[in-house]
Amino acid sequence: MPYLHALALLALLIRPVPAAAGDCVPAGRWVEPGTRAPLAAGAVLKRAARAPAVLLGERHDEAEHHRWQLHVLAALHGLAPDLAIGLEMMPRRVQPALDRWVAGESTVAEFLEESDWEAVWGVDPGLYLPILHFARMHGVPLVALNVERALTRRVAAEGWAAVPQAEREGLGDPAPAPQAYLDSLAEVAAEHGPDMDPARFVEAQLVWDRAMAEGIAAAHRNGGRPVVGIMGMGHVEHARGVAHQLAAMGVAGTLGLLPWDATRPCGELVPGVADAVFGVAPLPPDEREKGE
């Protein structure tokens, strides 16, 4: 039964794991960023199950982040079996490939070819396949949240205003972002060197956020189902990215959850960085190298 399934997974999520000395988020525990107070796993997950959207951040090439995402998804599915999973890495044109996968009509090799995985994402698919298999096993809809990279590259080169309406893949104008988000994106743009126009780089990132927000909002409004977004941390932190765009579209109450590595500076665990963070123990070097 779904409830018993959820309880079993909750036990897994709260299993104590020895934390490294000096960790601000003990491995295997949920923590409230502002106070650094421990949070009960059941409370976090019940709150998430009631939210219209839950954003699970990741470093794309970090295997432990994807394992954490899968555990959270499984627990949430026990509490909200009608949920959908939104994927940052998939542009909208590959939605038919996702539908065929969930329906059990394609093999892994066929799915990777039909979704154009290598071209549209390029990150080792083995990191994401457990989540994709979970969705297929339970009949959970997978939603392609993004637009083509070509569109965001064009915005970075020419600006959003230069893209004709008919060539925007149906996207609306991104909502103005908080100044703190603009400042952080400008810093990232500066790291790309003098050839990168900071203002256009920021526009491209806002288009990326807007695309995912529109995809999540559409999936949520289709039957009122909760949508769990799988995406990079930068789109989740401080609710300045996708959550901000969702709020501007009238979807309030988005929950942002992050895995927190033992090596991440405690000074970054500031109020509002997420609604809750989960301590992730570092992998041994040999496992990290193989992504296993």
Side-chain angles (χ1 to χ4, degrees):
M1 295 178 64
Y3 181 70
L4 295 177
H5 175 61
L7 287 179
L9 284 157
L10 286 177
L12 174 63
L13 283 167
I14 64 174
R15 182 179 59 189
V17 179
D23 282 353
C24 47
V25 182
R29 298 292 186 181
W30 289 98
V31 167
E32 196 283 320
T35 62
R36 302 189 184 181
L39 296 172
V44 173
L45 293 165
K46 287 177 183 177
R47 181 182 174 193
R50 295 191 296 267
V54 182
L55 310 182
L56 302 183
E58 64 179 47
R59 265 200 323 272
H60 303 313
D61 61 352
E62 181 57 68
E64 280 295 270
H65 290 188
H66 297 295
R67 292 186 180 115
W68 167 78
Q69 289 171 330
L70 177 59
H71 293 170
V72 175
L73 278 167
L76 285 178
H77 182 258
L79 298 170
D82 62 335
L83 64 79
I85 301 172
L87 302 172
E88 172 191 11
M89 60 290 312
M90 295 285 96
R92 298 172 182 187
R93 68 174 169 85
V94 307
Q95 185 62 51
L98 293 174
D99 295 340
R100 276 176 43 77
W101 169 263
V102 173
E105 298 172 357
S106 56
T107 65
V108 170
E110 289 169 340
F111 167 74
L112 295 178
E113 181 178 359
E114 291 173 9
S115 66
D116 203 14
W117 183 279
E118 186 60 32
V120 302
W121 195 237
V123 179
D124 179 5
L127 296 170
Y128 293 88
L129 280 171
I131 291 173
L132 300 179
H133 278 293
F134 174 83
R136 176 151 74 175
M137 179 179 290
H138 295 281
V140 175
L142 292 170
V143 182
L145 295 181
N146 230 317
V147 290
E148 297 292 344
R149 291 286 186 110
L151 176 57
T152 53
R153 284 196 295 266
R154 182 176 181 183
V155 174
E158 304 174 18
W160 180 240
V163 181
Q165 194 74 33
E167 298 174 22
R168 295 182 175 183
E169 298 192 37
L171 287 187
D173 292 331
Q179 188 59 49
Y181 191 45
L182 299 178
D183 292 343
S184 66
L185 290 176
E187 291 178 7
V188 175
E191 296 173 1
H192 287 269
D195 293 335
M196 176 64 70
D197 183 317
R200 289 177 178 172
F201 175 84
V202 168
E203 281 192 292
Q205 293 303 304
L206 295 185
V207 167
W208 197 263
D209 288 332
R210 181 71 180 197
M212 289 192 283
E214 289 191 6
I216 289 170
H220 169 63
R221 288 166 177 160
N222 181 18
R225 65 173 74 241
V227 183
V228 182
I230 303 296
M231 62 188 64
M233 288 189 176
H235 301 288
V236 180
E237 292 178 348
H238 298 283
R240 296 168 181 163
V242 174
H244 176 77
Q245 296 296 325
L246 280 166
M249 297 166 59
V251 180
T254 297
L255 206 69
L257 305 177
L258 295 175
W260 200 270
D261 298 278
T263 55
R264 187 166 180 178
C266 290
E268 296 180 11
L269 190 65
V270 296
V273 68
D275 290 285
V277 300
F278 186 83
V280 177
L283 283 174
D286 60 334
E287 291 191 16
R288 181 178 294 275
E289 290 170 4
K290 293 184 292 185
E292 297 177 350

